[in-house]
């Protein structure tokens, strides 16, 4: 039994076999080949498979996340066809008599290093894209045609150097018990996403976790930021008990969730949910929320490359208002700009977006749809409010201007922003 | 051999997305287009080489083209850069 201390990123306990997300490129098989011509054919077949996979990812990313994200995979697809990469790999196979895996990985590594030598941080980060392409080719050539988990005995405790939020979200949730990364911090997007998914996670555990052989039994303690390798029977039993206890506590909390929250001195505290769409609103109601304290209406705008129509917004807000019935619902019309970019909108980049920017004409319908939905909407909605109209993410600007858009809100109610 | 110089005005310079557009504009044409930025050179069909130019906003890019469709390929690349990568390849 061995303990590896990392940082607590997402609470919960996971018991299961460790599984390395991707074998490191440095462990790529390396040998001399007898027949370079057929080895080059093998390389070309792998390139063709990778091309098809990336073309599919471009389409999927475009539908799910917009053009900006699709461009990442588009660039990766072109890296596959890069003549410099192909020539280097071909020479390594035909002249160096190297196997396809090593030839392609070496050629990609040379390109990655070329980018890493640059001063520009953005361009240096593209080295990771080239290595991602190499990883894909390696997986194809070594027979793991599906990324990540298809080769593993699922479900597993996933071990990785680092995990991007997009990797985490594309992984099959049913196959993962928990996540442990060598790098990264508890405030990374991956950690935040793991918490959102209810997935136990330990981050920043150091390179030692990468040495754990696949299928080694581990215990991941997300609350303590601890990974226990090959736990003894006693430890295993203790963690099983803790996990069962946590499940019992959650069940008990669920039963009492609908009771009002009252302090010992008799003050009733409304528990309002932060909801992002109809599904999370439903979940909040089921968990006993007394209303929606903040509806992130961005959900209508994100993950698409066109803007929602006023009618579409109206029916979405109306559905939320109907769902909550007499309970209060606060709509924040839009929190876009600064760190949140919108694919459907050609927003100018601002050097200091938190200071506010002129309202975008294309968003003019957002506030009125929200106001109509809550004001003229469901008869049962007693206290629905529309807060916001802040394309660049600035509440001070609104109160300073004394805008009429924040109808029904007390002056300076900027505190609703989350 | 036609050649010309353009200035990359886009604030992100020649990033992955723009480099991808350049590759697509040249690919399939009977021409070889070379871009030079300072002392670095790149073949327009190599996305990694284009990125490795490290071409940021305001950098002049010198373009050379050769081959049967040199004029057309060059015009396509110039149009793309001059329009801040908004024109269709």
């Amino acid at each position: 039994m061995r303990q590896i201390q990392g940082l607590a990123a997402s609470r919960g306990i996971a018991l299961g076999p460790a599984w390395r997300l991707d074998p490191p490129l440095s462990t790529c098989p390396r040998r001399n080949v007898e027949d370079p011509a057929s080895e080059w054919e093998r390389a070309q077949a792998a390139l063709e498979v990778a091309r098809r996979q990336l073309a599919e990812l471009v389409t999927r990313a475009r539908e799910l996340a917009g053009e900006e994200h699709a461009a990442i995979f588009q660039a990766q697809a072109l890296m596959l066809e890069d003549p410099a990469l192909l020539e280097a790999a071909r020479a390594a196979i035909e002249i160096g008599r190297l196997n396809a895996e090593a030839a392609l990985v070496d050629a990609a590594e040379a390109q990655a290093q070329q980018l890493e030598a640059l001063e520009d941080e953005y361009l240096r980060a593209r080295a990771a894209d080239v290595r991602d392409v190499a990883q894909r080719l390696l997986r194809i050539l070594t027979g793991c045609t599906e990324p990540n988990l298809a080769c593993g005995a699922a479900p597993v405790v996933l071990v990785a150097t680092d995990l991007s939020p997009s990797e985490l979200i594309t992984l099959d949730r049913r196959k993962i018990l928990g996540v442990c990364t060598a790098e990264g911090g508890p405030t990374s997007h991956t950690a935040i996403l793991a918490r959102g998914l209810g997935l136990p996670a330990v981050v920043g555990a150091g390179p030692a976790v990468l040495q754990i052989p696949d299928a080694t039994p581990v215990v991941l303690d997300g609350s303590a930021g601890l990974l226990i390798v090959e736990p003894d029977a006693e430890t295993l039993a203790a963690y099983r008990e803790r996990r069962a206890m946590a499940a019992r506590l959650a069940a008990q909390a669920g039963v009492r969730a609908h009771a009002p929250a009252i302090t010992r001195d008799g003050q009733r505290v409304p528990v309002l949910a932060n909801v992002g769409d109809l599904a999370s609103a439903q979940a909040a109601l089921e968990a006993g929320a007394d209303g929606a304290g903040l509806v992130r209406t961005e959900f209508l705008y994100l993950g698409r490359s066109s803007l929602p129509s006023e009618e579409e917004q109206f029916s979405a807000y109306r559905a939320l208002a109907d769902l909550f019935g007499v309970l209060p619902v606060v709509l924040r019309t839009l929190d876009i700009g600064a760190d949140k970019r919108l694919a459907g909108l050609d927003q100018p980049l601002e050097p200091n977006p938190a200071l506010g920017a002129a309202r975008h004409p294309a968003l003019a319908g957002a506030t009125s749809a929200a106001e109509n939905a809550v004001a003229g909407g469901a008869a049962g909605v007693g206290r629905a409010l529309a807060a916001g109209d802040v394309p660049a993410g600035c509440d001070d600007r609104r109160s300073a201007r004394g805008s009429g858009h924040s109808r029904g809100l007390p002056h300076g109610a900027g505190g609703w922003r989350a | 051999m036609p050649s010309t110089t353009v200035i990359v005005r886009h604030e992100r310079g020649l990033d992955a997305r723009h480099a991808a557009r350049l590759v697509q504009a040249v690919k399939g044409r009977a021409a070889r287009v070379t871009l030079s930025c300072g002392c670095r050179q790149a073949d327009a069909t190599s996305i990694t080489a284009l990125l490795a130019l490290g071409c940021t906003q305001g950098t002049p890019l010198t373009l050379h083209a050769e081959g049967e469709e040199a004029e057309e390929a060059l015009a396509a690349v110039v149009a793309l850069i001059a329009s801040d990568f908004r024109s269709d390849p």
Side-chain angles (χ1 to χ4, degrees):
Chain A
M1 188 168 89
R2 191 158 59 95
Q3 297 199 348
I4 299 173
Q5 184 69 55
L7 303 165
S10 175
R11 66 187 179 147
I13 291 161
L15 310 168
W19 196 267
R20 180 73 194 268
L21 177 66
D22 271 314
L25 288 173
S26 56
T27 64
C28 150
R30 191 170 289 274
R31 60 177 188 273
N32 280 325
V33 292
E34 298 289 321
D35 184 359
S38 68
E39 195 65 11
W40 174 238
E41 275 170 30
R42 243 186 104 225
Q44 279 179 306
L47 287 161
E48 183 50 40
V49 174
R51 238 191 304 276
R52 280 203 306 270
Q53 287 180 356
L54 282 166
E56 212 168 286
L57 281 173
V58 169
T59 314
R60 206 160 85 187
R62 189 173 287 143
E63 282 164 9
L64 294 176
E67 201 55 47
E68 198 77 20
H69 292 265
I72 297 171
F73 298 112
Q74 203 136 40
Q76 288 198 359
L78 291 174
M79 286 168 178
L80 271 182
E81 296 175 19
D82 198 305
L85 176 104
L86 296 178
E87 277 159 32
R90 187 171 187 163
I93 292 171
E94 290 184 347
I95 301 163
R97 295 190 165 253
L98 207 55
N99 58 325
E101 289 91 337
L104 287 165
V105 166
D106 288 356
E109 185 57 32
Q111 297 220 301
Q113 282 175 12
Q114 203 184 340
L115 291 172
E116 254 171 5
L118 297 170
E119 274 168 37
D120 187 287
E121 197 183 324
Y122 164 84
L123 292 173
R124 277 208 309 265
R126 301 282 70 72
D129 282 326
V130 183
R131 293 201 176 99
D132 205 14
V133 168
Q135 195 92 59
R136 180 176 299 281
L137 289 167
L138 187 55
R139 276 198 301 260
I140 294 166
L141 284 164
T142 51
C144 299
T145 45
E146 275 300 302
N148 319 318
L149 291 175
C151 315
V156 297
V157 174
L158 204 61
V159 177
T161 309
D162 204 356
L163 203 59
S164 70
S166 61
E167 279 174 313
L168 183 56
I169 198 106
T170 48
L171 293 171
D172 187 345
R173 181 70 185 78
R174 289 163 303 179
K175 292 183 177 175
I176 309 168
L177 302 164
V179 174
C180 179
T181 65
E183 294 167 10
T187 56
S188 69
H189 281 125
T190 302
I192 293 165
L193 186 59
R195 288 194 285 273
L197 295 171
L199 192 67
V202 172
V203 298
V209 296
L210 303 176
Q211 307 306 320
I212 302 169
D214 285 343
T216 307
V218 294
V219 171
L220 183 132
D221 181 346
S223 315
L226 195 64
L227 188 78
I228 303 168
V229 187
E230 296 184 302
D232 55 35
E234 206 179 317
T235 309
L236 208 54
Y239 269 104
R240 284 216 172 95
E241 175 53 34
R242 269 181 60 183
R243 194 175 54 172
M245 173 99 83
R248 277 199 300 275
L249 274 174
Q252 277 169 17
V255 169
R256 298 178 55 194
H258 292 271
I262 298 171
T263 61
R264 280 184 196 162
D265 60 350
Q267 296 292 313
R268 189 180 166 150
V269 181
V271 180
L272 301 176
N274 191 332
V275 303
D277 54 14
L278 206 54
S280 59
Q282 189 79 51
L285 268 180
E286 280 163 16
D290 299 322
L294 178 88
V295 177
R296 300 171 175 277
T297 60
E298 293 88 89
F299 76 90
L300 280 168
Y301 294 80
L302 299 174
R304 58 191 285 166
S305 45
S306 62
L307 291 173
S309 70
E310 189 161 345
E311 190 52 41
E312 189 182 344
Q313 295 174 57
F314 179 83
S315 32
Y317 303 146
R318 177 70 187 262
L320 278 168
D322 284 342
L323 182 68
F324 279 95
V326 295
L327 299 172
V329 174
V330 179
L331 297 177
R332 176 179 67 191
T333 46
L334 200 53
D335 176 24
I336 282 295
D339 57 326
K340 302 189 191 82
R341 309 280 305 161
L342 204 57
L345 199 61
D346 196 14
Q347 284 171 297
L349 272 179
E350 295 173 68
N352 195 347
L355 289 176
R359 192 170 178 217
H360 199 288
L363 295 176
T367 313
S368 56
E371 288 179 350
N372 290 339
V374 297
V381 179
R383 291 198 287 145
L385 307 167
D389 172 35
V390 197
C394 171
D395 292 286
D396 297 341
R397 183 174 56 90
R398 186 184 59 222
S399 37
R401 199 175 60 182
S403 157
H405 291 295
S406 50
R407 143 158 40 150
L409 270 184
H411 195 67
W416 289 107
R417 183 174 147 77
Chain B
M1 184 169 89
S3 74
T4 186
T5 299
V6 284
I7 298 206
V8 175
R9 285 194 310 259
H10 201 282
E11 60 208 340
R12 294 202 309 248
L14 201 55
D15 69 358
R17 192 173 178 176
H18 300 150
R21 301 275 307 272
L22 276 186
V23 175
Q24 279 155 348
V26 174
K27 220 170 58 173
R29 289 183 204 266
R32 184 184 167 88
V33 179
T34 314
L35 290 78
S36 329
C37 178
C39 57
R40 296 194 179 104
Q41 267 203 359
D43 184 302
T45 57
S46 167
I47 188 166
T48 312
L50 287 177
L51 288 172
L53 286 175
C55 179
T56 49
Q57 187 179 24
T59 316
L61 263 181
T62 306
L63 316 172
H64 295 280
E66 53 188 315
E68 241 171 78
E69 294 175 48
E71 297 280 358
E72 294 92 322
L74 195 66
V77 172
V78 169
L80 200 55
I81 297 173
S83 72
D84 248 7
F85 300 93
R86 284 199 188 98
S87 77
D88 288 321

